[in-house]
Amino acid sequence: MRKFAGLMSVLLMLFIPMAVYFAKTIQADDKIAASGSVSISTISLSEIFNETSGKTSRTKTSSTTTEITASTEEQHPAKSKLNESSEAEPYPELGPDDWIDVSINDQKVYFKRGNDVLYTMNCSTGLPGESATPLGEFTIETEKGETFYNPGSGEGANYWVSWRDHGVYLFHTVPIDENGNYIESEAEALGVRPTSHGCIRLSVPDAKWIYDTVPVGMRVVVRE
C-alpha cells in the first residue's frame, strides 16, 4: 500500500504540471483565436469606416472645389467681348505703309504690313441687303468723334472713325442705347456674324485704339 501510495504521489506530481501546461496552452490558443476574431472584426469595421470616410471626404472635397471655383469666378469673371481687346498681345506700332483689311466672311479686321498680319480684331459688319457694308477700297477720313446717337435707329456708339462718305460708314464700338449704356448682348456677335446697319462694330478697347491711333489717309479694303 505504501508503494502504491508513493506511485500515486509520483503520478500526481507529473500530472499536475502537465495539466497546468495544457490549460495554459489552451488558454493561449483561446486568446489568439479571440484576438484573431477581434482583429478580423476590427479590420472589417476599419475598411467599412475608411470606405465611408473616403466617400465623405470626396464629397467634402467636391463641395470645397465648387466653393473655390465659385469664389474664383467672382474674383475673375468670364471675359466679355465688349470690354476686352481682341488679342492678348499689345496693339502694334503702325507704319506709313500699313493698311486695314476687313473680311466680311471672317468678321475680322486685319491690320497688315504688306501681307503680314500685325493684329486681328473681331468685328460685326452690316446685315445682308440694304444694310450691307460696302465692298471696295477706301481711306480713313478726317471725321471722328467720341460718341453719337441716332434717334431714328435708337442706337449710337462711341469712338467712331469715318472711312467712307464722311461720317456715314464708320468704325465704332458696340452700340449704346439712349442713356449711353452699351448694349452688351450685341457684343456676342463680334467675330461671329453681321449685325450692324453698315458700319463696322468693334469692342470698346479696339475702337478706342483706332480712334486714338489710326492716321487719316490709311488705306481700308473691305472684301467678302
Side-chain angles (χ1 to χ4, degrees), residues 64-85:
T64 303
T65 302
T66 302
E67 290 175 4
I68 291 172
T69 302
S71 176
T72 302
E73 287 177 352
E74 289 176 2
Q75 295 176 11
H76 304 285
K79 288 186 176 181
S80 166
K81 288 183 180 180
L82 174 65
N83 293 311
E84 295 292 334
S85 305

Side-chain angles (χ1 to χ4, degrees), residues 46-98:
S46 175
E47 289 175 348
I48 293 170
F49 176 79
N50 288 338
E51 180 81 11
T52 307
S53 175
K55 289 179 181 178
T56 303
S57 174
R58 285 193 291 272
T59 302
K60 287 181 178 179
T61 301
S62 176
S63 176
T64 303
T65 302
T66 302
E67 290 175 4
I68 291 172
T69 302
S71 176
T72 302
E73 287 177 352
E74 289 176 2
Q75 295 176 11
H76 304 285
K79 288 186 176 181
S80 166
K81 288 183 180 180
L82 174 65
N83 293 311
E84 295 292 334
S85 305
S86 293
E87 290 191 12
E89 298 297 322
Y91 292 112
E93 294 288 337
L94 296 176
D97 297 324
D98 297 342

Side-chain angles (χ1 to χ4, degrees), residues 15-199:
F15 176 75
I16 290 171
M18 291 179 64
V20 171
Y21 171 78
F22 282 116
K24 288 183 177 181
T25 303
I26 293 170
Q27 186 178 8
D29 289 341
D30 289 342
K31 287 182 178 180
I32 292 172
S35 174
S37 175
V38 171
S39 175
I40 290 170
S41 177
T42 302
I43 291 171
S44 178
L45 289 173
S46 175
E47 289 175 348
I48 293 170
F49 176 79
N50 288 338
E51 180 81 11
T52 307
S53 175
K55 289 179 181 178
T56 303
S57 174
R58 285 193 291 272
T59 302
K60 287 181 178 179
T61 301
S62 176
S63 176
T64 303
T65 302
T66 302
E67 290 175 4
I68 291 172
T69 302
S71 176
T72 302
E73 287 177 352
E74 289 176 2
Q75 295 176 11
H76 304 285
K79 288 186 176 181
S80 166
K81 288 183 180 180
L82 174 65
N83 293 311
E84 295 292 334
S85 305
S86 293
E87 290 191 12
E89 298 297 322
Y91 292 112
E93 294 288 337
L94 296 176
D97 297 324
D98 297 342
W99 60 288
I100 302 172
D101 179 18
V102 180
S103 171
I104 303 295
N105 291 336
D106 295 346
Q107 292 294 286
K108 295 287 190 290
V109 175
Y110 303 101
F111 282 82
K112 291 185 173 181
R113 181 167 297 159
N115 291 323
D116 296 331
V117 177
L118 304 175
Y119 197 91
T120 302
M121 294 180 178
N122 296 314
C123 74
S124 283
T125 57
L127 290 165
E130 293 182 1
S131 297
T133 301
L135 305 179
E137 185 167 332
F138 313 97
T139 58
I140 296 295
E141 298 174 330
T142 57
E143 293 82 7
K144 67 178 185 178
E146 290 191 357
T147 189
F148 75 90
Y149 180 74
N150 183 348
S153 64
E155 292 179 348
N158 293 331
Y159 304 119
W160 61 271
V161 174
S162 180
W163 51 270
R164 180 182 173 177
D165 293 345
H166 302 283
V168 177
Y169 291 97
L170 318 169
F171 290 107
H172 62 63
T173 66
V174 166
I176 58 174
D177 61 22
E178 60 182 352
N179 298 315
N181 299 314
Y182 287 109
I183 305 172
E184 294 191 35
S185 59
E186 296 287 348
E188 296 305 312
L190 295 176
V192 179
R193 62 186 180 276
T195 54
S196 81
H197 305 289
C199 292

